[in-house]
Amino acid sequence: MWIDLLRWAHVIGATVLLGTGAGIAFFMVMAHRTGDVKLIAHTAGIVVVADWVFTASAVIIQPITGILLAKSIGWPIMHGWVLWSLILYVLVGLFWLPVVWMQQQMRDLARNAMLNGHVLPTRYFKLYRIWFACGFPAFFAVLGIVWLMISRPVL
């Protein structure tokens, strides 16, 4: 029963990480493509809240449930696929933390432009390009983690 509960919580956390990450990226990209400062400011505000509410919660839950699950089942944490999952998890975090900061900056820049009747500043576009580029390695690393969790290959 305990292991089933841990598995369930861990799968829910992985689903939230993958789904929220993909959803946030989609909505931010679609808002950006409109060029509408008001829409970008509004969407960026929602994206920041969603990242803190959903992604941050899952980021905390995943290692806790994963370590408890591995220990309960007897999987060695510092070996094989579990270790590679942890390495990829750290990689995702190295991209996610700056991305959250960039989203907040883009939100603030868009809000200021909207409130002052200005166009988006050059800094917004620079942050957006970096934000966009950071999404690819983080997304593929999460996909890799999910694959490792499902296949549990002997490494």
Side-chain angles (χ1 to χ4, degrees):
M1 179 70 172
W2 171 245
I3 290 174
D4 290 337
L5 181 62
L6 286 173
R7 277 189 177 132
W8 176 81
H10 199 66
V11 168
I12 294 297
T15 304
V16 168
L17 278 176
L18 185 59
T20 303
I24 282 171
F26 176 79
F27 289 114
M28 192 67 183
V29 167
M30 298 312 289
H32 173 81
R33 288 181 51 165
T34 69
D36 181 339
V37 176
K38 185 176 179 181
L39 181 61
I40 293 168
H42 178 73
T43 303
I46 292 171
V47 160
V48 168
V49 170
D51 230 353
W52 282 115
V53 171
F54 296 106
T55 310
S57 299
V59 163
I60 293 166
I61 291 169
Q62 279 308 98
I64 294 168
T65 59
I67 289 168
L68 289 173
L69 186 59
K71 287 184 178 222
S72 295
I73 292 175
W75 291 327
I77 293 172
M78 300 309 274
H79 291 67
W81 70 269
V82 177
L83 175 62
W84 279 104
S85 295
L86 291 171
I87 290 168
L88 288 174
Y89 191 77
V90 169
L91 177 70
V92 171
L94 291 174
F95 283 99
W96 179 68
L97 289 171
V99 158
V100 171
W101 178 82
M102 284 184 263
Q103 288 170 175
Q104 292 172 338
Q105 295 298 304
M106 290 186 294
R107 175 203 59 200
D108 294 346
L109 291 167
R111 282 182 178 167
N112 287 337
M114 179 189 67
L115 292 173
N116 294 312
H118 297 136
V119 296
L120 291 167
T122 303
R123 185 164 185 265
Y124 168 86
F125 293 99
K126 181 179 179 182
L127 286 168
Y128 177 83
R129 285 190 299 275
I130 297 167
W131 173 87
F132 188 83
C134 286
F136 288 98
F139 181 73
F140 287 113
V142 171
L143 289 178
I145 294 167
V146 171
W147 179 80
L148 288 167
M149 285 172 32
I150 291 169
S151 65
R152 297 188 302 253
V154 177
L155 300 173

